[in-house]
Amino acid sequence: MTEFTPLEYDDGPLVWIDCEMTGLDFLNDKIIEIAVIITNGNLEPVDEGINYIINTSKEVLDGMNEWCINQHGKSGLTKSCLESKDSYEQVIEKVLKYIKKWIPEKGAGILAGSTVHADMRFLMIGMPEIMKHLSYRIVDVSSIKEICKRWYPSIRQQDKARRTTESAHRALDDIKASIEELKFYRETIFIPVENPTKRGTTPENERQGKTAI
């Protein structure tokens, strides 16, 4: 694996996040597992990533909807939540420290994942410290999937065919699958990747709609 130093804005850092929750109601449900993998703009991971399971009471877990009770029970996540030593606050601190280690510059890292807008809602309410360090933009692989479904249906079928296992809905595995999916789309529907050049763009002047050439 390539040896990485902390990434800067021009490296195009992507902060891949996937969360498992007690449900999909971001106003009432809670994050119970979070995983993060950071890549550069070429989808090369800086390391193996991190994965934390949040200690959650039996009362909260028993209140999950039927799908979550079945799926998280089958995957072993429910049991792991009861046994975890990491509190919600401790996990926030550890995740933010990890992201800042690899992307010190506020606003340089872009949230990425599959249907990651859903995770973002939970993060904005439950872990706003993390979202404040990231860019206001996101890379959602599901958007590319939906465009491919409409414009390149045969390639969308190829994507389905290459999947040999069903998702266990565990955070770190789902991130790895999302990265591989974006690599697949890059190789099949995008023109060849150009070598990145530093153009002097920063998070601040991008927010102002300016690009320094």
Side-chain angles (χ1 to χ4, degrees):
M1 179 179 289
T2 304
E3 290 291 330
F4 285 94
T5 57
L7 303 177
E8 299 177 351
Y9 180 82
D10 287 324
D11 296 313
L14 297 173
V15 182
W16 296 81
I17 294 181
D18 188 83
C19 302
E20 295 300 329
M21 289 80 74
T22 56
L24 295 178
D25 182 354
F26 61 92
L27 294 177
N28 296 294
D29 287 311
K30 303 296 182 183
I31 297 171
I32 54 177
E33 182 182 32
I34 182 170
V36 183
I37 293 178
I38 292 174
T39 70
N40 60 16
N42 203 37
L43 306 183
E44 298 170 317
V46 297
D47 61 14
E48 294 300 315
I50 56 172
N51 190 186
Y52 292 108
I53 296 169
I54 297 170
N55 179 270
T56 309
S57 69
K58 186 176 186 299
E59 180 182 10
V60 170
L61 295 171
D62 286 346
M64 296 188 296
N65 62 41
E66 182 179 358
W67 186 93
C68 287
I69 290 175
N70 292 335
Q71 182 60 47
H72 296 332
K74 182 172 63 175
S75 72
L77 180 55
T78 300
K79 182 174 184 292
S80 295
C81 285
L82 293 170
E83 297 173 348
S84 175
K85 303 299 182 184
D86 288 316
S87 70
Y88 200 94
E89 292 73 21
Q90 288 171 328
V91 169
I92 294 173
E93 183 179 349
K94 290 177 180 180
V95 170
L96 186 57
K97 182 178 179 180
Y98 174 77
I99 294 173
K100 287 184 175 180
K101 169 190 171 183
W102 285 109
I103 312 172
E105 183 183 0
K106 183 178 180 180
I110 293 182
L111 179 66
S114 290
T115 319
V116 75
H117 64 87
D119 302 85
M120 182 179 69
R121 290 173 180 168
F122 280 86
L123 292 169
M124 290 182 72
I125 291 176
M127 301 184 177
E129 302 92 334
I130 293 172
M131 289 305 303
K132 287 177 182 177
H133 189 69
L134 302 180
S135 169
Y136 63 96
R137 292 181 172 176
I138 66 172
V139 171
D140 200 322
V141 180
S142 298
S143 297
I144 300 173
K145 178 189 298 186
E146 289 298 328
I147 292 299
C148 189
K149 175 182 175 181
R150 289 158 175 75
W151 296 349
Y152 306 99
S154 63
I155 292 177
R156 177 73 183 106
Q157 290 303 315
Q158 290 178 39
D159 181 35
K160 289 182 178 179
R162 71 179 181 83
R163 300 167 183 269
T164 56
T165 57
E166 184 179 351
S167 170
H169 293 283
R170 292 303 300 267
L172 196 60
D173 289 338
D174 283 354
I175 290 177
K176 292 176 180 178
S178 296
I179 294 172
E180 290 305 310
E181 185 173 19
L182 187 54
K183 286 180 179 178
F184 170 81
Y185 289 133
R186 180 179 65 179
E187 293 167 0
T188 54
I189 64 174
F190 288 96
I191 62 174
V193 177
E194 299 176 357
N195 291 325
T197 58
K198 297 199 173 188
R199 297 170 57 84
T201 305
T202 66
E204 183 58 33
N205 61 36
E206 182 180 81
R207 279 192 289 272
Q208 298 172 359
K210 301 173 182 177
T211 302
I213 303 298

